[in-house]
Amino acid sequence: MQSLPFQPEQASTIARSVDQLYFFLTAVTLFFTALIFSIIFYFMIKYRRRAPGERPKAIEGSFPLEVLWTAIPTLIVAVIFVWSSTLYFRNSEPPKGAMEIFVTGKQWMWKVEHPEGQREINELHVPLGRPIKLTMTSEDVIHDFFVPAFRVKKDVLPGRFTTLWFEATKVGTFHLFCAQYCGAFHAGMIGSIIVQEPDEYESWLAGGAPGESMEQAGAKVFQASGCPTCHLADGTGLGPSLLGVYGNPVKLTTGETVTADDAYMRESIVLPKAKIVLGYSPIMPSFQGQMTEEQLNNVIAYLRALGKAQPKPKEEGKQ
Amino acid sequence: MSTATLEPRVHAPRNYLNADYGWKSWLFTLDHKRIALLYLVSITFFFVIGGSFAVLMRIHLVEPQGALVQPETYNKLFTLHGIVMIFFFLIPSIPAVLGNFLVPLMVGARDLAFPKLNLLSWYIYIVGGLFTLYSAIAGGVDTGWTFYTPYSSTYSNTQVTAVAIGVFITGFSSILTGLNFIVTIHKMRAPGLTWFRMPLFLWAMYATSIIMVLGTPVLAITIFLLALEHLFHVGIFSPALGGDPLLFQHLFWFYSHPAVYIMILPAMGVVSEIIACFARKRIFGYKIVAFSSVAIAVLGFLVWGHHMFVTGQSVYAGLIFSLLSFLVAIPSAIKVFNWTATLYKGSISYDAPMLYALGFIGLFTMGGLTGLFLASLATDVHLNGTYFIVAHFHYIMVGGAVMGYLGGIHFWWPKISGRKYPNMWAGIAAVIIFVGFNLTFFPQFILGYLGMPRRYAFYPAEFQVLNVMSSAGATVLGVGYLIPLIYLIWSMRYGPVAEPNPWGATGLEWQTSSPPPTENFAEIPVVTEEAYAYAPEEAAGD
Amino acid sequence: MTDAEAHAQHAGLAHQFEDLEQQQEADALGIWLFLVTEIMFFGGLFAAYAIYRWLYFGVFQGGSHILDIRLGAANTVVLLGSSLTMALSVRSAQTGNRRALVLFLVATMILGGIFLGVKAYEYNQKFVEHVVPSLDWAPEGQTLARLSPGGLEHAQIYFFFYFAMTGLHALHMIIGMGLLLWLVLRARKDSFTPHYFAPVEVVGLYWHFVDIVWIFLFPLLYLIGGRY
């Protein structure tokens, strides 16, 4: 179905299914509103008071009716719940192979960084027909990344990552809004999603200024911060090797096993004592305040790359 | 309408209004009816303040770049509009005015269980109001009435502490009122007044009081922690210091969602009373309606997470809150059907209270159904944070609660003031309010789905037409609200004197004079019939 | 009943009630409802505490080590004692023993005062050790050593809860002391009879509630360090 007059463009893979559900909800609303209005109107006229002393007979109630008008709404909301939850659940995880882009929200602008190093302010260029996964954080207060045309929205929180994904189905420029009140220029924290044909996107990417990818920038931050001093590649240093770590399970001193995802990586840099890898001591200093959010994102991109490398063999005796 | 005459007061029988004169007899009164009037004056004052902020906002939004004020000022306007309307108008309105006046009368008692606590709760409300007014005058607050952290705790440099103190204090007014009602309804019912003979208004006040008593303390502690965080920056809600901003949201919404049921349940109680009276019939499915009030109160505590679907919380938490949110809609739907069925084979008159009650049913139905869009996860992702939310809650709170409040004021005005108001003007005002309301808020549903976020001081030009429509409607709505203010005040002096039971309604409050004497009843009544005994075999004369 | 008894029966009956029995039932329900609101009030704080303790377990253990468990235990005994004297004062009112009533109320106040005095000393110690969040936060030496294993970054959150929870509790105690004083003054004026002593019961329930809150606070703040 095409979008109706009072709907934004359908420019993503999920927009149409969200609109279908919305259409159904609108139909239910209009139907029951009309039903109640017309029944009331009809009763108002048919049973209007004809004489001042009129006293209608008492009607206590009707159990069958109560059951009926409890069961039918319950059925309807059950249908909506199942439909909506299925849609929501299916849309909650990005498809594999999604292009990963970092977004940082701050009062009152959006900062975007492509893995290739391309940076944007208040704009996000994406290729058509490719799933895009945004990993987002805030430098200050809670913001919200909202693209009406894609029917996607997610809060952007300080101190942690949230993710959002979409796949654009139309070329064009679409509104990006901040949808969580964030202070004086909340209304000004808007931008554009620019969807391009894949080849146009590639040329845009190539034409950009910094020749350095996020991974390369991250490697530099990694070096400059002294990380290799402890995190030796063979695991014999004071800190664990980071090769092959990203995305894989990690065993902690508490006995727990966690997955080394973005949140874990970020926490390990700003709050290193929170989780200690089994076999190592809690001696890593915190880098909170010493790295900007951007630098943190770059380091994480570098760690993602390291995650794909083979771990170097460890010596016996060091667990 | 015959020529207005000044009814000679010198021969008026002794009632609670003329029992004593002078400001001390009002400010130190222990009479629940006088306290109700103290509340009536104060909440009207705050309604005018909150309404003025709304008028300024709607004027401002006529132009995409903003027509009236700087963005920082606009942010303060919507914040204070929300705080004043919710905490100082809507939450007290029906309970503190109509509830205080009617609960003792309806149970057949001489006063509430704790009259001194009742007066204290008004003073607490006033002190809280003064702190809030101070915060507005001393620079305003720009956090939104939801006070999300870390903006409100760490970044905003407006009068957060002052308004937090104001809201904190006023919460205790709510708690004491609820406590008073629960004890009164449990312990002071007249002989023969069993639970299932009580008017549904009492059931509604009871359910509301449960929420007030259980929920408001959580708001109090949340605001208390927020104020401490704002002052001392310890880190409890600020990630930079190790805190969790979402913890604030959970604590805040744990109260604030049940709070919306504090706002709507009393209005539903009023509607039950009005429909029964003006259809001259017992409410269809009385017991079901009574139980559904309690069900709404209980379920209402379990759904707060639906305000947080897009915060990045777990998908499974979202599923549970979504399911519960759908379930809480069912008892409300049941009520709407029962009210409609009451009209069947009734004897219906079109007096002003009935017009308000019917307006309530229509607008509440629409507002409630739009809640389904928001309980539904997939659509809420798109709609959260947009004008759709604004439209949804205004349909319920203005189209619902305010119309219920006005309907109640019009229904019990003869009892409260001893005077009648001109029915024609009342009907005209009701229609103007209904039309103005829809013109104001219906366009906002469309704005929301189109993607216009809320709390925007300026917006892309493509949204202008709908904004102008909404602002035009607001003008009509504003006019509609002024009319009752005028004729109700007029009626206190020039309206025809009211008889004890001008509407021919059942209920103990109508069996005493209009206005009632200070002690409510010459003798405590004994109840022998069911509620809403309108039918011929039940009618005791008349 | 005799005239004197009938008179005593009606003394203290408020105008909105039909009889003393209704009034007493209403008072009892009223105070229990009020205590429920207090449970919800403290409950929000306890919930926040639980979440942060789960998040920063080490910090909470470390912080607990800074508190003086002997003072906390002593205060617990003092407060339990005050609940005993409070219950005895209610009993005295029930039996019409005016002297004992006043005595036990005063004893409750004295014990409450001791509790608050010890608390004041403990608060002062926190300043001495520089572990007051935001106002005086500079732990050093032994204190620093105790806090470090848990991570110094978030130790302030533990102490925030320490001050918020015990402070709110102390505020309730101070209000309770005021209520006790009011009761003492009324008792000395012979306001209470075996038929009418509802205010004593009501304040008694309040005082027991404040005691119970401390029974929860003591282990949650003092004992979680676990090093006895």
Side-chain angles (χ1 to χ4, degrees):
Chain A
M1 59 173 269
Q2 296 298 346
S3 63
L4 297 178
F6 296 121
Q7 295 177 342
E9 270 188 273
Q10 289 172 345
S12 78
T13 49
I14 70 165
R16 193 161 145 218
S17 48
V18 173
D19 281 356
Q20 282 169 338
L21 176 58
Y22 183 78
F23 183 71
F24 178 72
L25 283 162
T26 307
V28 168
T29 303
L30 289 176
F31 172 74
F32 278 100
T33 306
L35 181 73
I36 298 290
F37 264 88
S38 41
I39 294 181
I40 289 182
F41 205 64
Y42 175 65
F43 285 170
M44 287 283 288
I45 299 184
K46 176 150 190 219
Y47 300 114
R48 66 190 181 281
R49 191 169 301 173
R50 286 171 173 83
E54 216 175 42
R55 288 209 170 269
K57 254 186 52 160
I59 302 179
E60 186 63 33
S62 155
F63 192 68
L65 261 183
E66 300 283 355
V67 170
L68 185 72
W69 63 45
T70 306
I72 293 184
T74 307
L75 193 62
I76 294 177
V77 303
V79 165
I80 300 172
F81 171 70
V82 170
W83 182 349
S84 177
S85 307
T86 313
L87 202 55
Y88 178 76
F89 204 74
R90 240 191 284 136
N91 294 341
S92 60
E93 282 302 313
K96 284 203 162 40
M99 180 189 289
E100 308 229 18
I101 298 182
F102 280 92
V103 173
T104 306
K106 95 182 237 345
Q107 288 172 324
W108 288 278
M109 65 172 78
W110 295 103
K111 300 199 285 199
V112 173
E113 203 170 356
H114 293 252
E116 298 80 0
Q118 188 65 285
R119 286 200 192 88
E120 312 187 65
I121 301 266
N122 291 335
E123 279 185 355
L124 170 58
H125 282 77
V126 293
L128 180 73
R130 177 106 189 263
I132 313 286
K133 176 181 163 194
L134 302 180
T135 303
M136 313 184 286
T137 186
S138 163
E139 283 183 22
D140 39 38
V141 300
I142 302 182
H143 300 278
D144 186 284
F145 196 91
F146 175 39
V147 185
F150 297 167
R151 314 289 187 276
V152 293
K153 175 187 285 118
K154 190 57 76 75
D155 276 0
V156 176
L157 274 63
R160 72 183 73 171
F161 286 122
T162 52
T163 62
L164 176 161
W165 80 271
F166 60 82
E167 182 180 325
T169 52
K170 267 198 194 148
V171 164
T173 304
F174 306 100
H175 280 303
L176 161 63
F177 293 128
C178 174
Q180 186 65 260
Y181 176 70
C182 53
F185 289 102
H186 167 59
M189 195 163 159
I190 66 179
S192 312
I193 313 288
I194 300 162
V195 183
Q196 299 175 304
E197 296 285 356
D199 43 0
E200 266 185 62
Y201 174 74
E202 290 305 323
S203 51
W204 171 84
L205 212 52
E212 193 174 68
S213 71
M214 278 183 77
E215 188 189 318
Q216 289 167 327
K220 286 201 184 137
V221 176
F222 189 81
Q223 285 290 335
S225 308
C227 311
T229 316
C230 299
H231 290 285
L232 300 181
D234 61 2
T236 57
L238 292 168
S241 163
L242 297 168
L243 295 177
V245 170
Y246 184 87
N248 290 320
V250 176
K251 212 161 162 138
L252 305 177
T253 51
T254 53
E256 257 188 290
T257 303
V258 295
T259 308
D261 55 11
D262 290 326
Y264 171 79
M265 289 307 191
R266 190 181 188 286
E267 185 187 51
S268 303
I269 299 173
V270 300
L271 197 56
K273 292 195 173 65
K275 295 184 174 69
I276 313 295
V277 176
L278 190 60
Y280 295 91
S281 310
I283 53 173
M284 176 174 163
S286 163
F287 287 85
Q288 173 139 47
Q290 292 174 44
M291 282 187 203
T292 64
E293 287 297 338
E294 217 178 294
Q295 286 171 321
L296 265 172
N297 290 344
N298 290 337
V299 170
I300 291 176
Y302 174 63
L303 291 171
R304 281 182 182 169
L306 286 186
K308 301 194 179 80
Q310 284 305 317
K312 291 239 176 74
K314 289 195 182 70
E315 289 168 20
E316 291 292 46
K318 190 113 188 193
Q319 219 259 321
Chain B
M1 177 68 236
S2 61
T3 47
T5 50
L6 258 183
E7 296 287 342
R9 271 214 169 273
V10 67
H11 296 302
R14 214 190 97 264
N15 60 55
Y16 81 100
L17 284 172
N18 61 26
D20 201 353
Y21 291 101
W23 61 271
K24 278 197 227 174
S25 75
W26 282 93
L27 290 184
F28 298 136
T29 182
L30 291 179
D31 180 357
H32 66 100
K33 302 180 288 301
R34 287 194 167 205
I35 294 174
L37 289 188
L38 290 175
Y39 269 110
L40 176 61
V41 171
S42 350
I43 67 160
T44 307
F45 170 75
F46 281 107
F47 181 74
V48 170
I49 304 248
S52 309
F53 293 149
V55 166
L56 293 173
M57 285 162 64
R58 283 293 358 143
I59 294 176
H60 175 85
L61 289 173
V62 162
E63 272 172 37
Q65 287 313 302
L68 201 63
V69 293
Q70 293 301 311
E72 293 91 333
T73 307
Y74 179 82
N75 297 340
K76 293 175 184 174
L77 284 176
F78 74 68
T79 300
L80 285 161
H81 168 74
I83 292 174
V84 167
M85 285 307 208
I86 290 177
F87 294 113
F88 295 95
F89 174 67
L90 276 167
I91 287 180
S93 61
I94 297 176
V97 177
L98 296 173
N100 265 329
F101 195 93
L102 294 166
V103 169
L105 286 166
M106 283 184 173
V107 300
R110 300 207 178 286
D111 207 316
L112 289 175
F114 307 116
K116 290 184 194 150
L117 281 188
N118 198 13
L119 183 65
L120 179 65
S121 76
W122 182 74
Y123 277 105
I124 290 175
Y125 167 85
I126 294 295
V127 170
L130 287 174
F131 269 95
T132 305
L133 284 175
Y134 166 77
S135 76
I137 295 168
V141 186
D142 72 344
T143 58
W145 83 276
T146 47
F147 298 112
Y148 275 12
T149 57
Y151 181 70
S152 64
S153 53
T154 312
Y155 289 82
S156 173
N157 52 16
T158 57
Q159 296 286 352
V160 175
T161 308
V163 84
I165 294 176
V167 171
F168 178 85
I169 290 176
T170 303
F172 290 100
S173 171
S174 222
I175 292 173
L176 290 178
T177 300
L179 192 150
N180 231 333
F181 286 172
I182 293 177
V183 178
T184 305
I185 293 175
H186 267 285
K187 295 294 178 188
M188 295 173 71
R189 278 169 288 123
L193 185 58
T194 60
W195 280 88
F196 291 112
R197 280 182 176 171
M198 289 200 311
L200 288 166
F201 181 76
L202 286 177
W203 277 99
M205 294 314 324
Y206 185 77
T208 306
S209 300
I210 299 221
I211 307 178
M212 280 168 147
V213 157
L214 292 180
T216 317
V218 180
L219 177 76
I221 196 71
T222 307
I223 295 282
F224 174 69
L225 290 175
L226 174 68
L228 287 181
E229 175 76 343
H230 188 78
L231 285 171
F232 298 116
H233 298 297
V234 185
I236 158 169
F237 295 132
S238 169
L241 303 164
D244 185 355
L246 289 185
L247 175 63
F248 175 83
Q249 290 186 28
H250 281 291
L251 287 172
F252 177 82
W253 286 115
F254 185 82
Y255 162 76
S256 298
H257 187 83
V260 315
Y261 298 111
I262 293 179
M263 295 185 258
I264 200 65
L265 277 172
M268 290 174 160
V270 169
V271 166
S272 290
E273 297 303 313
I274 293 177
I275 302 265
C277 173
F278 292 95
R280 285 246 177 96
K281 258 179 94 239
R282 181 172 167 81
I283 292 289
F284 193 94
Y286 165 96
K287 269 195 185 167
I288 304 277
V289 175
F291 285 136
S292 68
S293 297
V294 179
I296 292 172
V298 171
L299 284 172
F301 273 101
L302 305 177
V303 301
W304 78 89
H306 67 226
H307 298 271
M308 299 170 64
F309 283 153
V310 296
T311 57
Q313 71 183 3
S314 124
V315 165
Y316 302 102
L319 285 172
I320 295 173
F321 280 119
S322 170
L323 178 63
L324 288 165
S325 303
F326 278 115
L327 290 180
V328 79
I330 306 287
S332 295
I334 292 174
K335 283 195 188 205
V336 170
F337 294 129
N338 275 294
W339 287 322
T340 307
T342 306
L343 298 174
Y344 177 70
K345 290 201 172 154
S347 167
I348 302 174
S349 79
Y350 305 136
D351 300 275
M354 186 58 153
L355 296 180
Y356 279 110
L358 294 171
F360 172 98
I361 296 179
L363 297 176
F364 172 76
T365 301
M366 258 201 80
L369 286 169
T370 55
L372 296 181
F373 291 71
L374 304 172
S376 144
L377 288 158
T379 44
D380 184 74
V381 168
H382 180 69
L383 295 170
N384 192 57
T386 68
Y387 261 86
F388 193 95
I389 306 265
V390 177
H392 162 72
F393 66 67
H394 280 96
Y395 260 79
I396 313 252
M397 300 211 285
V398 183
V402 177
M403 292 203 75
Y405 172 71
L406 289 175
I409 291 287
H410 283 78
F411 184 46
W412 283 291
W413 186 256
K415 180 59 55 181
I416 294 173
S417 68
R419 300 285 179 146
K420 296 197 273 201
Y421 51 81
N423 197 51
M424 187 191 73
W425 280 108
I428 291 175
V431 171
I432 293 179
I433 289 175
F434 183 84
V435 170
F437 170 82
N438 279 297
L439 287 178
T440 310
F441 292 104
F442 191 82
Q444 295 185 3
F445 281 124
I446 303 176
L447 272 174
Y449 203 71
L450 283 173
M452 179 171 170
R454 59 187 287 206
R455 297 175 164 170
Y456 264 31
F458 44 90
Y459 54 85
E462 73 221 51
F463 296 130
Q464 183 174 25
V465 171
L466 288 164
N467 269 289
V468 171
M469 278 179 64
S470 176
S471 296
T475 321
V476 177
L477 186 59
V479 166
Y481 284 137
L482 281 174
I483 301 176
L485 202 58
I486 297 172
Y487 63 67
L488 287 176
I489 295 179
W490 175 93
S491 78
M492 295 204 296
R493 196 95 153 99
Y494 301 106
V497 169
E499 54 274 39
N501 195 352
W503 309 115
T506 62
L508 293 177
E509 75 271 25
W510 300 107
Q511 315 217 335
T512 185
S513 59
S514 298
T518 303
E519 67 274 16
N520 290 347
F521 304 98
E523 270 180 40
I524 297 295
V526 175
V527 175
T528 51
E529 44 185 35
E530 302 305 308
Y532 314 115
Y534 286 103
E537 58 269 22
E538 295 163 318
D542 181 286
Chain C
M1 64 174 86
T2 67
D3 275 343
E5 282 171 340
H7 174 77
Q9 175 111 15
H10 284 100
L13 177 65
H15 76 281
Q16 68 269 21
F17 294 112
E18 291 299 295
D19 51 49
L20 268 181
E21 193 194 328
Q22 189 189 45
Q23 179 172 307
Q24 275 155 6
E25 285 185 25
D27 286 344
L29 179 58
I31 185 65
W32 279 107
L33 272 174
F34 178 72
L35 293 183
V36 167
T37 71
E38 291 276 36
I39 291 174
M40 297 304 289
F41 186 62
F42 276 96
L45 197 49
F46 276 86
Y49 165 94
I51 289 169
Y52 281 115
R53 183 172 156 200
W54 174 68
L55 279 176
Y56 304 129
F57 191 70
V59 145
F60 274 58
Q61 271 191 313
S64 171
H65 284 150
I66 306 296
L67 303 185
D68 188 336
I69 198 179
R70 297 160 305 175
L71 290 178
N75 252 358
T76 308
V77 172
V78 164
L79 210 52
L80 281 171
S82 77
S83 261
L84 174 64
T85 54
M86 187 71 228
L88 288 171
S89 67
V90 173
R91 178 86 186 119
S92 308
Q94 227 172 15
T95 54
N97 188 340
R98 199 206 76 164
R99 252 201 80 211
L101 169 59
V102 172
L103 220 67
F104 282 124
L105 285 175
V106 170
T108 310
M109 285 181 74
I110 291 175
L111 289 170
I114 293 175
F115 179 92
L116 288 172
V118 171
K119 260 266 114 348
Y121 171 77
E122 283 186 277
Y123 276 18
N124 186 58
Q125 282 303 104
K126 302 293 166 292
F127 279 95
V128 164
E129 293 178 317
H130 305 295
V131 284
V132 182
S134 181
L135 296 176
D136 185 358
W137 182 260
E140 57 199 10
Q142 271 277 353
T143 315
L144 183 60
R146 285 202 177 119
L147 292 177
S148 294
L152 200 57
E153 292 99 353
H154 305 121
Q156 281 198 65
I157 293 190
Y158 169 81
F159 282 97
F160 170 81
F161 278 104
Y162 170 76
F163 278 105
M165 291 165 99
T166 59
L168 207 52
H169 177 261
L171 177 67
H172 281 78
M173 284 214 48
I174 293 172
I175 293 173
M177 301 280 279
L179 292 171
L180 286 168
L181 180 64
W182 174 68
L183 283 183
V184 166
L185 295 173
R186 282 193 74 183
R188 295 185 68 215
K189 279 195 305 189
D190 268 316
S191 301
F192 303 123
T193 71
H195 298 288
Y196 170 72
F197 56 97
V200 185
E201 273 184 317
V202 164
V203 174
L205 276 172
Y206 174 80
W207 191 262
H208 293 315
F209 173 77
V210 175
D211 190 4
I212 289 181
V213 171
W214 177 259
I215 301 297
F216 279 87
L217 288 186
F218 177 59
L220 288 179
L221 292 171
Y222 289 79
L223 301 181
I224 58 169
R227 71 284 187 207
Y228 2 93

